[in-house]
Amino acid sequence: MTGSVLIVGASGIVGSAAAERFSAEGWKVAGLARKPVAQDGVTPVSADLQDPASLERALSGLAPSHVVLATWMRRDTEAEMIRVNGAMVENLLAALRPAGSLRHVALVTGLKHYLGPFEAYGKGAVPQTPFREEQGRLDVENFYYAQEDAVFSAAARDGFAWSVHRPHTIIGKAVGNAMNMGTTLAAYATLCRETGRPFRFPGSGMQWNGLTDMTDARLLARHLLWASTSARAANEDFNVVDGDVFRWSWMWGRIAEWFGIADEPFDGTVRPLETQMAEDGPVWAEIAARHGLAEPDLAKLASPWHTDADLGRPIEVVTDMSKSRRFGFLDYQPTDDAFFDLFARLRADRLIP
């Protein structure tokens, strides 16, 4: 089955991977972003999701059968996050309504569905791990829930199917992305190698010793395509992870080995990357000039605050994929290979030396 798909957030980690996957499978792909980037097989659409008039103009000639929603906007408070991100979904689906073409909308959220929003991340009453879809929502305000409700309301009104996809931390490439652990760790490892600083784990003892999992953006893209075209997956929510579990005490050494540096054993002291990398902008600019790198601005590559949030959690986070398996999605991706593939791509694109 093929059709026409509108990828919303096409310049991000998830959106760019989804656009690549759908295009490779023969779909007609349009990619919406405020500042679209060139991508093979993707028609760029420039629009502001907060501006209904902008959306109406940008989408007037499109009649997609499918939509992938893979974007959000950060604000200072959860109340403002709810207002802004819920409205963006509502605005988009209202602008697409006149065409009457939608058959399926796939919404990408994440494990903050179970862990709570940034203001209460991993605190209070958190469901038992591994997280399962039937655990439902927490009794807290959460912008993910507002996004879901906007999709559910439009689906009931306009008669299309939906799916919700909840990845764990995503490994993939997107310069300028607000949540990018893979590229952040690549930049950090490069800084350690180039300056001789120790490659120190920045997070908590729980994350160092406990089990965790992650999500390769390419696997998530395949999951989005599967759910968008599978009758059994219609109107369902899904966790999406690689299928393996690991401890950072093992993965940290694997990453260090790829970069040819020694990993320093965790001594129980939390050393956030946001602190460790606070003064590294000029250092990175010098490294970029010396090696002829494509991006001299460290802030466009690294998002230490987000990596710290994940690696500093005081609780174990493991995700159950049984629902997808029962429904027919059987793909698997070793997470260390996901990191290595990303690092190789960053090197090939001259983003790291």
Side-chain angles (χ1 to χ4, degrees):
M1 175 185 172
T2 60
S4 58
V5 61
L6 175 66
I7 310 289
V8 183
S11 60
I13 290 179
V14 177
S16 58
E20 183 176 339
R21 181 75 264 153
F22 277 81
S23 179
E25 295 294 328
W27 286 63
K28 182 179 179 180
V29 180
L32 187 151
R34 279 176 295 173
K35 297 179 180 179
V37 296
Q39 191 170 3
D40 290 345
V42 179
T43 300
V45 177
S46 177
D48 182 352
L49 292 173
Q50 297 184 83
D51 182 354
S54 163
L55 280 169
E56 186 175 341
R57 289 191 301 269
L59 300 176
S60 61
L62 294 180
S65 58
H66 292 68
V67 165
V68 171
L69 272 164
T71 190
W72 65 286
M73 189 167 290
R74 194 179 184 194
R75 287 291 185 264
D76 290 337
T77 67
E78 192 62 24
E80 189 65 5
M81 295 264 284
I82 289 168
R83 185 189 68 79
V84 170
N85 288 283
M88 292 195 316
V89 176
E90 292 172 354
N91 292 341
L92 173 80
L93 297 178
L96 290 171
R97 188 183 189 193
S101 58
L102 278 186
R103 298 204 301 267
H104 189 101
V105 172
L107 171 67
V108 181
T109 60
L111 294 195
K112 285 189 288 296
H113 179 92
Y114 307 105
L115 287 163
F118 289 119
E119 291 179 4
Y121 191 57
K123 301 174 183 176
V126 175
Q128 185 181 40
T129 58
F131 295 139
R132 302 176 188 274
E133 294 89 347
E134 60 266 26
Q135 289 169 325
R137 297 179 174 184
L138 298 175
D139 187 22
V140 296
E141 295 297 312
N142 190 323
F143 83 90
Y144 281 169
Y145 305 162
Q147 289 183 308
E148 287 182 346
D149 287 343
V151 170
F152 300 159
S153 177
R157 179 192 68 203
D158 298 335
F160 57 79
W162 55 265
S163 56
V164 174
H165 304 253
R166 299 181 188 129
H168 197 170
T169 304
I170 299 169
I171 302 170
K173 183 197 168 192
V175 175
N177 191 271
M179 300 192 296
N180 194 334
M181 180 187 283
T183 306
T184 298
L185 292 181
Y188 175 60
T190 298
L191 286 161
C192 290
R193 186 184 64 201
E194 296 287 319
T195 63
R197 283 158 37 185
F199 186 58
R200 289 173 169 160
F201 182 71
S204 68
M206 173 60 76
Q207 294 308 306
W208 180 256
N209 294 307
L211 291 173
T212 192
D213 48 30
M214 293 185 72
T215 307
D216 189 311
R218 299 166 300 179
L219 181 137
L220 176 54
R222 297 196 296 274
H223 195 272
L224 288 161
L225 178 59
W226 165 76
S228 295
T229 56
S230 169
R232 195 172 184 192
N235 304 327
E236 296 284 352
D237 53 352
F238 296 101
N239 298 327
V240 192
V241 288
D242 289 340
D244 61 353
V245 294
F246 63 90
R247 302 180 200 277
W248 276 105
S249 57
W250 174 80
M251 185 67 79
W252 201 247
R254 297 283 285 156
I255 293 173
E257 183 179 3
W258 195 94
F259 282 93
I261 56 179
D263 62 309
E264 184 164 304
F266 180 61
D267 64 2
T269 302
V270 177
R271 298 181 174 89
L273 287 181
E274 198 162 23
T275 300
Q276 290 194 56
M277 300 174 71
E279 307 299 325
D280 281 338
V283 180
W284 185 265
E286 189 277 326
I287 292 171
R290 177 155 36 92
H291 291 281
L293 300 184
E295 182 49 73
D297 186 353
L298 180 61
K300 292 183 179 179
L301 296 174
S303 51
W305 69 272
H306 177 257
T307 298
D308 287 339
D310 274 6
L311 297 185
R313 289 182 299 215
I315 58 173
E316 180 181 82
V317 179
V318 184
T319 315
D320 182 71
M321 274 283 284
S322 297
K323 185 175 183 180
S324 288
R325 306 303 187 217
R326 287 196 303 269
F327 283 24
F329 183 82
L330 305 177
D331 286 22
Y332 163 79
Q333 169 65 54
T335 299
D336 53 343
D337 285 347
F339 273 121
F340 302 157
D341 290 350
L342 171 63
F343 298 157
R345 185 176 178 186
L346 293 174
R347 181 168 288 172
D349 291 345
R350 295 188 303 109
L351 291 169
I352 61 172

